[in-house]
Amino acid sequence: MRREQARKDPGQTEASRALKMLNKQVLSRLALQFRNVHGLCKKGRPYTDYTLLCDLDEAKGMDIGKQYRTDKKAAEFATSIAEAERERMRKDFSTAKFIAAISDGTTDSSFQETEIVYVRHCQAGKNQSELFSS
């Protein structure tokens, strides 16, 4: 009887519910890890600091998991974040009525270069501004 009921409605089986809970847990762990990498990128920190951030999250009682806790995975996460952001910008700029960009660069005392790009565009009658820095 259970087998026939599972065949008719596979989404209501014990296995299906367990898989959904497992997927929620994995997604929440990945969200924490992506957030750590995003913070590193925004502050210009090296990927080697990623493992420290994961250890700190774990010490705070957050369930961050044991997977994907290397600097190589942090670099992969950063690449994914950058690609998602590029895709969002492509979509926004392709439908914009106009685009205006201003860029500037500087070098600080440690000979580290920084580039800043300020972009304004109009979409659906609203002017939007974005500031990018490296």
Side-chain angles (χ1 to χ4, degrees), residues 78-93:
T79 302
S80 296
I81 292 169
E83 186 55 42
E85 195 62 19
R86 276 192 292 273
E87 187 58 38
R88 182 191 64 80
M89 288 188 310
R90 264 188 226 114
K91 181 181 162 211
D92 284 351
F93 295 160

Side-chain angles (χ1 to χ4, degrees), residues 3-14:
R3 188 181 316 156
E4 187 60 32
Q5 191 173 14
R7 190 177 308 146
K8 288 180 183 176
D9 193 8
Q12 297 301 319
T13 62
E14 296 263 340

